[in-house]
């Protein structure tokens, strides 16, 4: 797939227009596919249990991302609290589900981002930002005006609304997007998001429209985490990626699942992948026809 023509640099007024539109999506919230319809601007909370100000669990340098994301200096990782997914195996569940974090203004978040840049961060990596899309973009806008020059990474579950993503154009340079499920029943069982398979592909198409395949310091990377006992789901997902996005689509293939949060209630995923399963998963990847990307062994 060809990289799209470089987007014209938006004017400050265009960016402000995008920000206003993003905040307006929270009035009867449809910032994500849950479309809760509640008044977040008036203090109501929907499925993500998030308010109008960003809530941040941590902002630190992280060296364990994909090699081009971590780089030499580390990725300036900003963990946003809450989540619009309800994954029973979430490894970050204290942050995503239990509300660990601090509420702050977008200006304070912008200052944290600038501090990460000063400390050598290669980029600003928003982890699980979907439900705070307006606030994260707002912080980017403020930080850019104060000298933030490193790329913005949108490290997302893929459970995104195309309407909101369109408004992020120009705020985000790298989309690091999960493809978790191709089967609605699994998406419902493990993440209470039956529509995930119908949502994730349009979302990735919009990301690709904005920034193309990952190359250098810009573009889309799809992440896939293999679940124990679900090799066929992995095969199906890789097939969908090949069919929908092409053989050159960069894919980060992860096999380091470990059971967390409520995994113990689901015996089939209450364990790590064993060595045979990992080998079988890598074989599925090798046979998939996908040509670009990384496996966990390539990480720091
Ligand atoms: S961002 Fe939160 S409140 Fe808004 S639609 Fe999604 S889950 Fe609901």
């Amino acid at each position: 797939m060809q990289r799209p023509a470089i987007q014209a640099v938006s004017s400050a007024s265009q960016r402000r227009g995008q920000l206003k539109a993003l905040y307006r999506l929270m009035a009867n919230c449809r910032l994500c596919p849950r479309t809760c319809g509640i008044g977040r601007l008036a203090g109501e909370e929907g499925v993500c249990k998030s308010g109008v100000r960003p809530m941040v669990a941590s902002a630190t340098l992280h060296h364990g991302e994909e090699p081009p994301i971590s780089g030499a200096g580390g990725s300036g990782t900003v963990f946003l609290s809450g989540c619009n997914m309800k994954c029973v195996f979430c490894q970050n569940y204290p942050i995503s589900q239990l509300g660990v974090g601090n509420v702050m203004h977008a200006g304070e978040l912008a200052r944290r981002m600038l501090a990460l840049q000063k400390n050598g961060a290669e980029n600003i990596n928003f982890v699980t930002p979907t439900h705070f899309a307006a606030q994260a973009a707002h912080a980017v806008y403020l930080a850019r005006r104060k000298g933030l020059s490193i790329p913005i990474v949108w490290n997302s579950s893929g459970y995104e609304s195309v309407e909101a993503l369109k408004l992020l154009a120009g705020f985000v340079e790298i989309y690091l997007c999960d493809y978790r499920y191709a089967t609605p029943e699994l998406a419902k069982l493990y993440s209470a998001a039956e529509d995930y398979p119908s949502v994730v592909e349009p979302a990735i198409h919009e990301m690709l429209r904005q920034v193309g395949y990952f190359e250098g310091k810009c573009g889309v990377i799809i992440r896939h985490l293999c679940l124990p006992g679900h090799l066929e789901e992995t095969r199906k997902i890789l097939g969908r990626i090949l069919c929908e996005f092409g053989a050159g689509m960069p894919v980060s293939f992860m096999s380091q699942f470990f059971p967390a949060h409520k995994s113990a209630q689901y015996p089939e995923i209450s364990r790590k992948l064993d060595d045979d399963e990992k080998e079988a998963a890598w074989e599925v990847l090798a046979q998939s026809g996908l040509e670009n990307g990384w496996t966990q062994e390539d990480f720091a």
Side-chain angles (χ1 to χ4, degrees), residues 25 30 45 48 60 64 77 90 121 160 165 169 177 179 193 202 219 222 235 262 267 272 277 281 284:
L25 289 182
R30 59 176 201 274
E45 292 183 355
C48 62
T60 56
T77 305
C90 183
E160 299 270 8
L165 283 172
C177 181
Y179 197 138
I222 296 178
R235 193 190 313 273
K262 298 178 181 171
K272 295 180 178 179
E277 273 180 308
V284 166

Side-chain angles (χ1 to χ4, degrees), residues 25-26 28-38 40 44-50 83-85 130-132:
L25 289 182
M26 291 194 296
N28 298 294
C29 197
R30 59 176 201 274
L31 205 50
C32 88
R34 297 274 183 203
T35 57
C36 296
I38 50 88
R40 271 180 72 182
E44 293 178 1
E45 292 183 355
V47 172
C48 62
K49 294 188 168 32
S50 301
C83 189
N84 65 341
M85 297 279 277
T130 309
H131 56 299
F132 282 129

Side-chain angles (χ1 to χ4, degrees), residues 130-190:
T130 309
H131 56 299
F132 282 129
Q135 297 87 338
H138 189 177
V140 172
Y141 174 80
L142 296 174
R144 289 277 187 237
R145 293 176 65 188
K146 298 280 185 186
L148 187 80
S149 59
I150 52 180
I152 301 298
V153 182
W154 200 256
N155 192 334
S156 157
S157 68
Y159 196 49
E160 299 270 8
S161 125
V162 170
E163 184 180 19
L165 283 172
K166 283 181 188 291
L167 293 168
L168 289 173
F171 287 101
V172 174
E173 282 72 38
I174 299 169
Y175 286 101
L176 188 52
C177 181
D178 290 347
Y179 197 138
R180 293 189 187 175
Y181 309 105
T183 305
E185 291 75 15
L186 280 186
K188 181 179 181 184
L189 179 66
Y190 295 142

Side-chain angles (χ1 to χ4, degrees), residues 85 89 157-159 178-191 193-202 204 222-227 230-245:
M85 297 279 277
F89 50 81
S157 68
Y159 196 49
D178 290 347
Y179 197 138
R180 293 189 187 175
Y181 309 105
T183 305
E185 291 75 15
L186 280 186
K188 181 179 181 184
L189 179 66
Y190 295 142
S191 296
E194 191 173 12
D195 59 344
Y196 181 95
S198 66
V199 161
V200 66
E201 289 180 7
I204 294 171
I222 296 178
R223 262 183 179 169
H224 173 62
L225 173 66
C226 305
L227 298 178
H230 288 296
L231 191 59
E232 281 312 305
E233 185 72 356
T234 289
R235 193 190 313 273
K236 197 170 169 185
I237 287 168
L238 297 183
R240 290 298 313 160
I241 293 172
L242 178 70
C243 170
E244 201 66 17
F245 308 115

